[in-house]
């Protein structure tokens, strides 16, 4: 089976400031490696788990998320420029949160439900065919890819360990008119602190999820939203280890 090895968020070279701000934001996250025009997050556990998550500038005309497999195949979801609404300047968000981000829980792409039904089906099938992709247990169209070893990809994930991240989420979104990138970050800040840092309209709490994170959209193209998780109690739960997705959601295509 061809194995999904890399998920890369790619922007035109002219958008290099995005990487600058992202490096400021993720400066305390490990393991984060940097090279000119490229940042890479590698799953900490288990050893050999893939895919890695990359942020880079490239010779592309529009932003895209590219999925690369072990056989050299690559395909991309483009995020073309569209109407730009409000939001926080990325540099401002990075400066406010510097030194408060502990981990990248997951990254993801939200696709507009109204305009991309066929693309949604094709993308789920293609990703699930080369990765450990799991249904969201409560039934929403939010499947997740868990980083996995080659043996786990061929068999099953049975070791539920902290560090199996960043995972990747694909969302079929009823509320969007254009694709959105979403980055979920675990912080060392309380809910009250994040509400003070990003009051309305800069930040918002989604119905049913306000106890988990505060959402902040950054200004510019592509459309990017940061979901800022509140400070935890220090003990990884069945969400962080992936156990809930594996046991209650089930693998797509298995």
């Amino acid at each position: 089976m061809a194995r999904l090895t890399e998920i890369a968020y790619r922007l035109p070279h002219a958008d290099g400031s995005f990487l600058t701000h992202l490096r400021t934001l993720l400066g305390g996250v490990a393991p984060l490696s940097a090279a000119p025009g490229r940042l890479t997050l590698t799953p900490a556990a288990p050893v050999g788990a893939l895919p890695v998550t990359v942020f880079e500038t490239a010779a592309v005309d529009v932003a895209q998320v590219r999925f690369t497999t072990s056989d050299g195949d690559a395909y991309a979801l483009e995020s073309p420029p569209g109407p730009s609404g409000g939001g926080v300047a990325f540099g401002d968000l990075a400066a406010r949160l510097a030194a408060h981000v502990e981990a990248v829980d997951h990254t993801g792409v939200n696709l507009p439900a109204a305009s991309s039904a066929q693309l949604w089906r094709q993308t789920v099938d293609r990703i699930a065919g080369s990765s450990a992709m799991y249904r969201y247990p409560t039934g929403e169209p939010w499947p997740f890819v868990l980083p996995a070893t080659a043996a786990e990809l061929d068999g099953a994930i049975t070791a539920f360990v902290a560090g199996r991240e960043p995972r990747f989420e694909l969302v079929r979104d009823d509320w969007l008119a254009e694709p959105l990138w979403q980055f979920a970050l675990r912080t060392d800040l309380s809910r009250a602190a994040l509400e003070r840092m990003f009051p309305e309209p800069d930040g918002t709490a989604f119905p049913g999820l306000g106890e988990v994170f505060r959402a902040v959209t950054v200004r510019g193209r592509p459309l990017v939203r940061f979901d800022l998780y509140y400070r935890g109690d220090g003990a990884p739960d069945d969400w962080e280890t992936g156990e809930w997705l594996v046991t209650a959601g089930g693998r797509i295509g298995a």
Side-chain angles (χ1 to χ4, degrees):
M1 175 190 296
R3 185 183 182 194
L4 182 62
T5 56
E6 178 183 284
I7 299 173
Y9 293 83
R10 314 177 84 212
L11 297 110
H13 288 303
D15 295 333
S17 62
F18 186 95
L19 288 189
T20 301
H21 299 322
L22 193 63
R23 187 170 185 177
T24 297
L25 182 64
L26 303 183
V29 173
L32 173 71
S33 60
R38 183 179 172 97
L39 299 173
T40 303
L41 285 166
T42 301
V47 175
L50 293 172
V52 300
T53 299
V54 169
F55 311 92
E56 65 181 358
T57 58
V60 294
D61 295 327
V62 299
Q64 63 175 222
V65 183
R66 186 180 67 178
F67 304 86
T68 303
T69 60
S70 55
D71 61 1
D73 185 30
Y75 52 102
L77 294 174
E78 292 191 340
S79 297
S84 181
V88 176
F90 193 6
D92 186 19
L93 178 140
R96 293 190 218 180
L97 285 173
H100 291 294
V101 177
E102 296 183 326
V104 180
D105 184 90
H106 63 273
T107 70
V109 178
N110 291 30
L111 296 175
S115 61
S116 56
Q118 182 177 1
L119 177 62
W120 168 263
R121 290 191 297 270
Q122 291 174 341
T123 303
V124 170
D125 289 346
R126 198 162 190 178
I127 295 176
S130 59
S131 71
M133 191 178 209
Y134 292 84
R135 301 173 188 86
Y136 195 76
T138 56
E140 289 89 346
W142 307 340
F144 276 82
V145 172
L146 290 179
T149 66
E152 289 172 331
L153 185 59
D154 290 339
I157 292 177
T158 58
F160 303 115
V161 296
R164 196 187 287 273
E165 58 194 17
R167 65 202 79 194
F168 173 81
E169 180 183 17
L170 189 68
V171 173
R172 190 162 184 253
D173 198 315
D174 289 325
W175 304 101
L176 285 179
E178 58 182 304
L180 173 145
W181 293 358
Q182 46 131 329
F183 302 141
L185 312 179
R186 293 206 300 274
T187 78
D188 64 0
L189 298 169
S190 66
R191 178 176 183 174
L194 279 166
E195 287 175 345
R196 289 193 300 269
M197 188 177 289
F198 298 103
E200 295 281 356
D202 289 352
T204 190
F206 293 146
L209 295 171
E211 297 294 329
V212 181
F213 64 81
R214 190 154 188 83
V216 181
T217 300
V218 298
R219 191 180 309 138
R221 303 262 68 83
L223 186 63
V224 179
R225 190 187 77 219
F226 286 90
D227 295 341
L228 307 175
Y229 284 32
Y230 313 132
R231 179 177 60 228
D233 61 9
D237 57 19
D238 62 356
W239 169 257
E240 292 181 32
T241 65
E243 183 175 6
W244 187 59
L245 287 169
V246 172
T247 59
R251 186 165 164 182
I252 298 174

